[in-house]
Amino acid sequence: MNLPATVRVGSLTYQVICDGVADANHNYGETNPIEQKIRLGALVTPERLAETLLHEIIHAVNLDRSTQLKESQVRNLANGLCALLQDMGYWPREVEK
């Protein structure tokens, strides 16, 4: 799958950008609800990018729905859902930039 240009979360459309956000603290992406942007690391592998995109979408849903999930909860939810959806054929194993 190619990286989508946008994703919808609730009634909002987020722009998906692949640039240099990844860092040594294992932050592979970030979600900015004010600018409605999801930024993903330019050097992240296609396999990691599939998981990171889902992780950042969950952050956007968390912010939109005010569910107050902690980072560890978002990470665990993203990891579990990513594996499940990939095994079922609903989510790609790799996302190309």
Side-chain angles (χ1 to χ4, degrees), residues 1-8 16 18 38 40 44-55 57 82 85-86 89-97:
M1 168 178 129
N2 288 329
L3 187 67
T6 61
V7 294
R8 285 189 43 84
V16 179
C18 196
I38 292 175
L40 304 167
V44 176
T45 65
E47 187 176 48
R48 171 90 58 196
L49 201 56
E51 181 183 313
T52 303
L53 176 58
L54 184 56
H55 178 104
I57 291 169
C82 190
L85 295 173
Q86 286 173 340
Y90 293 117
W91 194 256
R93 295 201 180 271
E94 296 184 350
V95 173
E96 298 296 330
K97 300 170 197 140

Side-chain angles (χ1 to χ4, degrees), residues 4-16 36 38 57 60-61 64:
T6 61
V7 294
R8 285 189 43 84
V9 175
S11 63
L12 304 175
T13 300
Y14 279 73
Q15 183 181 9
V16 179
Q36 290 173 229
I38 292 175
I57 291 169
V61 171
D64 184 65

